[in-house]
């Protein structure tokens, strides 16, 4: 699987080479990482421990929180270490592993979003058939399926990238190992790798994006024609709007980095976009999806009271 070149490690150049700014960014990103762990960890804890939240919606929200914790953990600890280190090296195997788990968790989350939107569509538009359509067995099968697809999608990229020859520079102009920065360092023909990156990633991202939009479109149309209560319609539209914001935060950067045609954008722009979807979005997800939810807030209060 691994390449036969002399490259045994890469150097992650990170976000900036200004020493003072690195210390500031270390504090900022460490705070963000702790907020991510605390927010998503709290959601995961109450979803698992509170029987009242053992429903399909919270099952998928628990999956989302688990993904967000793991997703940030793939990149942030190494990024924080490099802020304080002058030797910003990562082994070849460590680099490929980071690439694999980044794409594994990222593609799984991208596919989880339309599943969550479909769950809301069935709950709102097909309430009488909801227990049958979204049974525990069906939800488990859907979750397992997207995790498996995500794993093999990432395996495709990690295997193909590891087979490339790296005979030049081993300095990666990024804060983590990703396919595009590694392709820029590779010697020889990388057309197949680029085609796979754009085609496979585009299929997953575009498919997930449009399925999500389709579910919310049907929800809005259904509520507009069937709901005569303005307060209920406003609440549903507010929920859809907040969920749509997550969709934009997740898929917008994916389209910018992996799908759009190359247009000579700077490395600084790509690093900034990467920070948005790998660092910021996982922190915002619990705020947008869950912590605004009345049932979750009540479950958190019950957990706190039990532990006092």
């Amino acid at each position: 699987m691994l390449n036969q070149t002399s490259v045994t490690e890469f150097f992650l150049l990170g976000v900036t080479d200004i020493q003072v700014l690195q210390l500031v960014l270390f504090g900022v990103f460490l705070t963000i990482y702790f907020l991510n762990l605390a927010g998503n960890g709290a959601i995961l804890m109450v979803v698992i421990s509170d029987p009242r939240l053992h429903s399909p919606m919270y099952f998928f929200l628990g999956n989302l929180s688990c993904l967000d914790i793991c997703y940030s953990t793939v990149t942030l600890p190494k990024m924080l270490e490099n802020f304080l280190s002058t030797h910003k090296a990562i082994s070849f195997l460590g680099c490929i592993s980071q690439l694999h788990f980044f794409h594994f968790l990222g593609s799984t989350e991208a596919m989880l979003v339309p599943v969550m939107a479909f769950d809301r569509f069935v709950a709102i538009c097909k309430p009488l058939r909801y227990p049958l359509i979204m049974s525990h067995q069906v939800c488990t099968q859907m979750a397992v399926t997207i995790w498996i697809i995500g794993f093999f999608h990432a395996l495709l990229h990690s295997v193909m990238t590891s087979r490339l020859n790296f005979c030049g520079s081993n300095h990666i102009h990024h804060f983590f190992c990703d396919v595009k920065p590694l392709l820029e360092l590779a010697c020889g023909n990388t057309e197949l790798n680029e085609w796979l990156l754009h085609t496979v990633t585009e299929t997953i991202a575009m498919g997930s994006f449009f399925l999500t939009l389709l579910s919310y479109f049907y929800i809005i149309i259904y509520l507009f024609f069937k709901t005569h209560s303005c307060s209920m319609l406003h609440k549903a539209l507010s929920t859809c709007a907040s969920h749509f914001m997550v969709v934009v935060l997740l898929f917008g950067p994916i389209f910018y980095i992996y799908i759009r045609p190359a247009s000579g954008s700077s490395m600084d722009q790509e690093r900034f976009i990467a920070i948005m979807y790998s660092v910021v979005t996982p922190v915002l997800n619990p705020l947008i999806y869950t912590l605004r939810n009345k049932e979750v807030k009540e479950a958190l209060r019950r957990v706190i009271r039990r532990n006092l």
Side-chain angles (χ1 to χ4, degrees), residues 11-16 25 29 71-83 88-90 95 98 102 171-178 181 257-258 267-280:
F11 292 92
L12 296 168
L13 300 185
V15 179
T16 179
L25 290 176
F29 287 117
Y71 191 49
S72 291
T73 302
V74 169
T75 57
L76 264 176
K78 186 63 180 177
M79 180 185 184
L80 292 170
E81 177 191 335
N82 287 343
F83 278 135
K88 305 177 188 297
I90 183 171
C95 186
Q98 189 181 55
F102 180 80
H171 289 73
I172 299 175
H173 294 271
H174 216 313
F175 59 90
F176 67 94
C177 290
D178 198 4
I257 296 293
Y258 299 108
M267 280 290 178
D268 289 338
Q269 287 178 322
E270 296 208 355
R271 282 195 292 262
F272 175 77
I273 297 296
I275 288 171
M276 287 300 298
Y277 67 79
S278 65
V279 178
V280 177

Side-chain angles (χ1 to χ4, degrees), residues 11-150:
F11 292 92
L12 296 168
L13 300 185
V15 179
T16 179
D17 56 0
I18 302 174
Q19 189 65 36
V20 176
L21 193 55
Q22 285 185 3
L23 295 175
V24 174
L25 290 176
F26 173 82
V28 171
F29 287 117
L30 181 63
T31 302
I32 291 174
Y33 186 51
F34 281 143
L35 289 174
N36 178 12
L37 294 180
N40 286 296
I43 292 167
L44 201 55
M45 178 183 65
V46 298
V47 167
I48 293 172
S49 63
D50 196 323
R52 303 180 195 185
L53 300 184
H54 291 176
S55 65
M57 181 176 76
Y58 296 110
F59 170 74
F60 292 126
L61 286 173
N63 273 263
L64 180 66
S65 292
C66 180
L67 282 167
D68 282 335
I69 290 172
C70 297
Y71 191 49
S72 291
T73 302
V74 169
T75 57
L76 264 176
K78 186 63 180 177
M79 180 185 184
L80 292 170
E81 177 191 335
N82 287 343
F83 278 135
L84 304 179
S85 172
T86 55
H87 187 67
K88 305 177 188 297
I90 183 171
S91 68
F92 184 87
L93 181 59
C95 186
I96 296 300
S97 299
Q98 189 181 55
L99 180 156
H100 173 79
F101 283 102
F102 180 80
H103 281 271
F104 166 36
L105 298 164
S107 58
T108 302
E109 181 163 334
M111 290 182 286
L112 180 63
V113 170
V115 171
M116 296 169 68
F118 176 74
D119 171 70
R120 292 299 83 209
F121 161 74
V122 177
I124 294 171
C125 303
K126 311 282 185 183
L128 297 179
R129 299 180 60 192
Y130 182 73
L132 177 63
I133 297 175
M134 301 301 293
S135 65
H136 176 72
Q137 182 180 2
V138 170
C139 292
T140 303
Q141 289 173 346
M142 292 171 75
V144 169
T145 299
I146 61 175
W147 280 82
I148 291 174
I149 293 173

